[in-house]
Amino acid sequence: MEAFLLAYGTEWLNLIVRWLHLITGIAWIGASFYFVWLDNTIRPPKPGSDLANKGVSGELWAVHGGGFYNPQKYLVSPKELPEELHWFKWEAYSTWLSGFAMLFIVYYFNASAMMIDKSVADLTNWQAIGIGLGTLLVGWTVYDLLCRSPLGKRDGLLGIIMFVFIVAVAYVLSKLLSGRAAYIHVGAMMGTMMVGNVLMLIIPGQRKLVEAMQQGKSPDPIHGQKGKQRSVHNNYFTLPVLFIMISNHYAMTYNHAYNWLVLAVIMAAGVSIRHFFNLRHKGITNWAYPAVGMLLLLAVAIAIAPKPPVAAAVAAGPDAAAVQFAKVQTIIHQRCVACHAAVPTQPGFAAAPAGIRLDTAELIHQNAVKVNMQAVQLKAMPIANLTQMTEDERAVIGAWFQAGAK
């Protein structure tokens, strides 16, 4: 009972923190998208106009929610510091903190089930957790050093090198952790880069601008330029990170033999699509970018399509179906029911994953399509193959399903 209540409490903690992560993530990403759109959409004032004389580099008129808005951007800073100044930072911090909490709740508290796949690498819980945390630290360090190096002045080349680095990390993680854990840690690494940009560069740069104005000095525009660069980086990171956030629902991606390459192509598609919108905000419409993105996604879908399983021998005779199902039910009870039951016995699970129960014959028949998809075609279940389902057992389930799942 104590173990069950702990698992149930953890499940509620998971729900609440995940909800918080989603809410704060929407706020952060929404602000990021809005300001990149605003920067690309504002138009410079007429030369000699009052706005131009005030130092306004661009403005925009918009209508929303029954009101008119007139945002203005100053090239460096206004002549006088306003009494109230809103700082966009807590959205980023709250998103990262809630995401970091999710790593502990979902992955680190149950590392044996969620991070370790013995067929990939025989790790201890602490080794897997150390790899996960180390990925965040190494990722931010390498990225920040590259940005501060002479390479940081060449955005295109920097972007290519960063993409190669992220894919290399994905490859290494795919050889150490379960596919699902590898994916989520690539996303967490990129999220750490994004919040690091806010915490370590964007906000400090903005503080320096404000401090200079308070001291009656002319702010150094370099701080704004560096902050803008990192903000644009965050904008391009966003779609790949969002995909990774939902990827745990799609075992066909992270459970593939070349899952790191699948991730690389999907991330490239996201960057291409994001670039289309960034250009469009500037008044440039180039449909080649979303076309490339869609073609990449189509190519992945075709490349990773599951192949029909090799059928096992099917029992013959008048009771063939009953004999065959008896074998399937035995396998499912040995390999799946520890989690997929009314009261799971597998530590860390308070309820059957995705609400799918397999503890009765009727429920097995009812979920036959899902069982075949997850256990035979995708080989995503049992999760991290905790219960060591064999290839022969998967073949038996596949043959039963092909014969009509009777």
Side-chain angles (χ1 to χ4, degrees):
M1 177 60 70
E2 182 180 350
F4 172 76
L5 291 176
L6 178 61
Y8 182 66
T10 302
E11 192 75 0
W12 266 99
L13 186 62
N14 183 341
L15 186 157
I16 292 169
V17 176
R18 189 182 296 272
W19 195 4
L20 173 64
H21 187 53
L22 178 63
I23 293 167
T24 55
I26 289 171
W28 184 16
I29 293 168
S32 171
F33 279 10
Y34 173 74
F35 279 105
V36 169
W37 169 83
L38 187 60
D39 274 342
N40 290 332
T41 307
I42 57 174
R43 297 295 179 260
K46 295 180 180 179
S49 65
D50 290 341
L51 290 179
N53 293 335
K54 286 168 55 179
V56 173
S57 63
E59 69 164 341
L60 172 76
W61 280 94
V63 60
H64 179 75
F68 290 89
Y69 296 81
N70 182 213
Q72 300 172 357
K73 179 180 179 178
Y74 289 80
L75 192 59
V76 179
S77 63
K79 293 181 180 179
E80 294 182 4
L81 191 66
E83 292 183 6
E84 293 186 10
L85 188 63
H86 183 80
W87 296 71
F88 287 86
K89 56 181 179 179
W90 294 113
E91 299 90 344
Y93 301 161
S94 300
T95 300
W96 188 86
L97 288 171
S98 57
F100 192 64
M102 286 296 301
L103 279 180
F104 274 87
I105 296 168
V106 178
Y107 290 90
Y108 299 163
F109 286 167
N110 198 12
S112 60
M114 303 302 293
M115 296 187 70
I116 299 171
D117 184 341
K118 297 292 186 181
S119 66
V120 174
D122 190 4
L123 302 175
T124 66
N125 287 1
W126 286 111
Q127 286 173 332
I129 294 169
I131 290 169
L133 293 174
T135 299
L136 310 188
L137 179 61
V138 171
W140 161 252
T141 302
V142 171
Y143 165 68
D144 187 53
L145 289 175
L146 287 174
C147 289
R148 295 177 187 274
S149 73
L151 189 65
K153 297 178 181 179
R154 305 178 64 183
D155 286 331
L157 183 57
L158 175 63
I160 293 172
I161 291 177
M162 276 307 304
F163 181 77
V164 171
F165 170 72
I166 292 170
V167 172
V169 171
Y171 174 79
V172 172
L173 290 179
S174 72
K175 303 302 179 183
L176 296 173
L177 305 176
S178 69
R180 178 172 173 171
Y183 269 37
I184 208 68
H185 279 87
V186 172
M189 179 186 73
M190 295 171 69
T192 300
M193 294 174 184
M194 294 170 70
V195 79
N197 283 337
V198 176
L199 177 65
M200 306 297 290
L201 198 120
I202 296 173
I203 295 300
Q206 290 175 175
R207 285 202 183 100
K208 290 177 181 178
L209 294 175
V210 171
E211 288 170 2
M213 292 188 64
Q214 290 173 336
Q215 297 169 7
K217 299 178 181 178
S218 178
D220 188 343
I222 190 64
H223 301 303
Q225 293 167 6
K226 289 181 178 179
K228 170 66 175 176
Q229 182 191 43
R230 298 295 183 102
S231 180
V232 171
H233 290 179
N234 283 1
N235 183 262
Y236 282 100
F237 281 145
T238 302
L239 293 190
V241 170
L242 285 175
F243 162 71
I244 293 171
M245 286 174 64
I246 64 171
S247 66
N248 62 92
H249 296 286
Y250 304 101
M252 59 189 177
T253 58
Y254 66 74
N255 204 51
H256 193 269
Y258 293 98
N259 51 12
W260 61 274
L261 185 56
V262 171
L263 179 59
V265 177
I266 293 176
M267 288 193 299
V271 170
S272 184
I273 293 169
R274 184 66 242 167
H275 190 58
F276 164 77
F277 284 103
N278 288 343
L279 289 178
R280 189 171 174 83
H281 299 332
K282 295 180 179 180
I284 303 171
T285 301
N286 189 334
W287 291 104
Y289 288 106
V292 167
M294 295 306 296
L295 286 174
L296 289 174
L297 294 176
L298 178 61
V300 168
I302 294 173
I304 69 174
K307 296 177 175 57
V310 177
V314 179
D319 298 322
V323 171
Q324 191 176 25
F325 178 70
K327 292 181 180 178
V328 169
Q329 188 171 26
T330 298
I331 293 169
I332 289 176
H333 272 274
Q334 290 177 341
R335 309 302 187 190
C336 309
V337 171
C339 295
H340 292 279
V343 181
T345 57
Q346 175 65 38
F349 292 86
I356 297 173
R357 288 175 49 199
L358 302 171
D359 43 358
T360 68
E362 181 182 358
L363 289 170
I364 293 173
H365 282 105
Q366 181 179 321
N367 292 289
V369 173
K370 294 177 181 178
V371 170
N372 181 66
M373 176 65 73
Q374 296 296 325
V376 181
Q377 293 187 320
L378 299 178
K379 298 182 181 180
M381 291 293 161
I383 189 168
N385 205 17
L386 271 172
T387 54
Q388 303 298 307
M389 181 181 285
T390 67
E391 290 301 314
D392 287 343
E393 289 171 338
R394 295 183 195 276
V396 170
I397 295 172
W400 166 73
F401 182 77
Q402 290 181 4
K406 299 177 182 179

